[in-house]
Amino acid sequence: MRILHTADLHLKGYEDERWEALEELIEVGRKEKINLLVISGDLFDTEVEVEKLRPHLRSIFSDNDFKILIIPGNHDKGAYTKGMYWGEDVTVLTHLYEPFELETVRVWGMPFENIEGREMVQKIRTLEDRLIPDKTNILLYHGELVASYFAREDFGEEGEGRYMPVKLSYFEGLNLQYILGGHFHSRYNVWEVEKGKYFVYPGSPVSITKKETGQRKANIFEIGEPPQEYLLDTLHFEEVTLKLDPFDPRHPLDILENYLKNLHPKAQVLLTVSGYLHGEKLGMGEEELVEKVRKLASGKIAGENYQFRDISRIWEDDLFKKFLETLEKEGVEEEEKKHLSDLVLQAIMEVRR
């Protein structure tokens, strides 16, 4: 039994980047010969998109060699009205005690509800007597794993509320081999709850916000084996910092061009240009550099932040020239020279501000 696990597509339109990510997941499922594709909540960004997209979903959710399981998330908890037809391959799990069974696997769905604390613990523990060991038990869950190493932005743009929070300890002692989570956007994460039992967040399969950086992933595994990350060819954001260094003999535009050549074709750049520009040496001022950077990265920039400064005047200052000459005479190593020069440049700029 081979399973592909994703969540948080937040579909908004037909044939946009998020829709393309869903098509990519279907293709991955075919290529990897999976038996189940599970979507652990927030397939839709809001319930408004449901009627617009459902007719299109039927075509890609039919005629596959695998089944598709979906649970509602906090964004689309009211989207799955009883009797709706989503495609011949789809089952929507809207009731915790009505699992889906396929061969040696039993999948339980825990859709999003506005519950937490003791009520949440009790809901999970009610499964204890139902999780009999005749099959491999899997739980689909959409909510927030409470851990100190998560930041609020890891869960998308959800505000300050809590979203069906759980701790790993809630699942200890239960006959659950896999808890396949949704709601956590930023990256792929896996924890071993107990030996051979796993809690997994796949991260969003397409960047929903600019806080979700790096090539996106899904979770794929065979029953009885640990979860494995699977790289997706979907839209994502990459943070790029071009640090201008007047000691570097390379032209900064050449550095940026080389990086862009090696960029994933679906990546969009969040660009920061920092450091110091020796405009006279390069034959261009600040404004011209920004224009050339934008032209070079045309169509690839999703966000830009220009923090650099032209230090041509300071570089030609007699005091700074004398300082550089002293460093050369003393035979200061290149890295240390850069560090000391940076400190002096900052001090001179502060005085002349």
Side-chain angles (χ1 to χ4, degrees), residues 6 25 48 73 254 313 321 336:
T6 190
L25 288 161
V48 173
D254 291 338
R313 290 178 61 190
K321 282 183 176 180
E336 183 65 12

Side-chain angles (χ1 to χ4, degrees), residues 53-84:
L53 295 176
R54 192 156 51 88
H56 300 293
L57 283 169
R58 289 173 185 154
S59 61
I60 63 172
F61 281 173
S62 299
D63 299 319
N64 296 295
D65 294 326
F66 51 86
K67 298 299 182 182
I68 299 166
L69 301 184
I70 303 171
I71 63 167
N74 58 295
H75 276 254
D76 57 6
K77 60 181 182 292
Y80 303 95
T81 304
K82 187 176 181 180
M84 280 184 172

Side-chain angles (χ1 to χ4, degrees), residues 10-25:
H10 289 265
L11 295 177
K12 296 181 77 172
Y14 179 55
E15 295 186 331
D16 63 6
E17 293 88 354
R18 300 182 191 185
W19 184 269
E20 289 174 0
L22 178 60
E23 293 181 323
E24 162 85 354
L25 288 161

Side-chain angles (χ1 to χ4, degrees), residues 4 11 30 41 47 60 69 83 86 115 140 144-146 152 157 166 187 203-204 232 278 282 296 301:
L4 182 65
L11 295 177
R30 292 170 180 159
E47 295 165 20
I60 63 172
L69 301 184
W86 298 89
I115 60 173
L140 307 188
E144 181 180 350
L145 179 62
V146 178
R152 178 59 54 183
E157 297 180 332
V166 297
R187 58 191 178 275
S204 57
L232 300 171
H278 192 337
L282 294 176
L296 183 62
I301 294 181

Side-chain angles (χ1 to χ4, degrees), residues 304-318:
E304 51 192 349
N305 183 15
Y306 295 101
Q307 299 178 350
F308 72 95
R309 293 183 64 174
D310 189 344
I311 45 83
S312 296
R313 290 178 61 190
I314 297 173
W315 199 271
E316 298 304 319
D317 184 274
D318 289 338

Side-chain angles (χ1 to χ4, degrees), residues 240-254:
V240 177
T241 298
L242 176 63
K243 187 170 184 179
L244 305 178
D245 180 358
F247 292 98
D248 193 332
R250 299 174 297 171
H251 198 290
L253 293 177
D254 291 338

Side-chain angles (χ1 to χ4, degrees), residues 83-321:
M84 280 184 172
Y85 176 62
W86 298 89
E88 64 184 52
D89 302 326
V90 176
T91 299
V92 180
L93 300 178
T94 56
H95 300 287
L96 179 59
Y97 308 127
E98 297 177 5
F100 172 88
E101 299 193 23
L102 181 65
E103 299 177 12
T104 60
V105 169
R106 183 178 290 116
V107 184
W108 307 78
M110 182 175 282
F112 176 80
E113 296 180 74
N114 289 308
I115 60 173
E116 57 182 285
R118 184 183 297 275
E119 190 177 1
M120 188 66 202
V121 176
Q122 290 173 341
K123 183 139 193 158
I124 293 171
R125 301 312 295 195
T126 60
L127 284 173
E128 190 164 9
D129 294 334
R130 302 169 190 262
L131 299 172
I132 54 178
D134 59 327
K135 294 189 177 185
T136 297
N137 288 291
I138 297 173
L139 177 68
L140 307 188
Y141 156 79
H142 188 91
E144 181 180 350
L145 179 62
V146 178
S148 60
Y149 38 81
F150 288 153
R152 178 59 54 183
E153 55 265 25
D154 287 326
F155 296 95
E157 297 180 332
E158 303 292 1
E160 295 301 318
R162 304 310 294 263
Y163 293 83
M164 213 161 68
V166 297
K167 297 179 181 179
L168 291 178
S169 60
Y170 293 0
F171 304 102
E172 292 176 0
L174 293 178
N175 186 34
L176 285 169
Q177 281 65 54
Y178 303 93
I179 300 107
L180 305 181
H183 189 63
F184 179 88
H185 285 207
S186 63
R187 58 191 178 275
Y188 178 96
N189 274 278
V190 57
W191 297 262
E192 195 166 23
V193 180
E194 295 175 300
K195 187 173 178 58
K197 300 179 180 180
Y198 305 96
F199 184 111
V200 190
Y201 276 135
S204 57
V206 57
S207 290
I208 305 302
T209 72
K210 291 178 181 178
K211 295 171 183 175
E212 294 151 40
T213 57
Q215 192 170 354
R216 311 315 296 161
K217 300 173 183 178
N219 173 32
I220 194 167
F221 62 97
E222 291 185 12
I223 293 299
E225 298 296 323
Q228 301 289 327
E229 59 185 43
Y230 191 101
L231 287 171
L232 300 171
D233 293 322
T234 57
L235 173 107
H236 60 278
F237 298 110
E238 291 283 359
E239 292 181 332
V240 177
T241 298
L242 176 63
K243 187 170 184 179
L244 305 178
D245 180 358
F247 292 98
D248 193 332
R250 299 174 297 171
H251 198 290
L253 293 177
D254 291 338
I255 297 172
L256 180 60
E257 183 177 26
N258 185 61
Y259 184 88
L260 293 174
K261 283 179 181 177
N262 296 303
L263 199 66
H264 188 283
K266 291 290 183 71
Q268 290 285 298
V269 171
L270 304 175
L271 178 65
T272 298
V273 182
S274 63
Y276 303 115
L277 171 70
H278 192 337
E280 289 187 10
K281 178 182 175 182
L282 294 176
M284 69 176 75
E286 292 180 350
E287 186 174 3
E288 186 178 357
L289 176 65
V290 170
E291 289 176 356
K292 290 189 174 184
V293 164
R294 286 174 173 167
K295 184 177 180 180
L296 183 62
S298 177
K300 295 183 179 180
I301 294 181
E304 51 192 349
N305 183 15
Y306 295 101
Q307 299 178 350
F308 72 95
R309 293 183 64 174
D310 189 344
I311 45 83
S312 296
R313 290 178 61 190
I314 297 173
W315 199 271
E316 298 304 319
D317 184 274
D318 289 338
L319 181 61
F320 188 68
K321 282 183 176 180

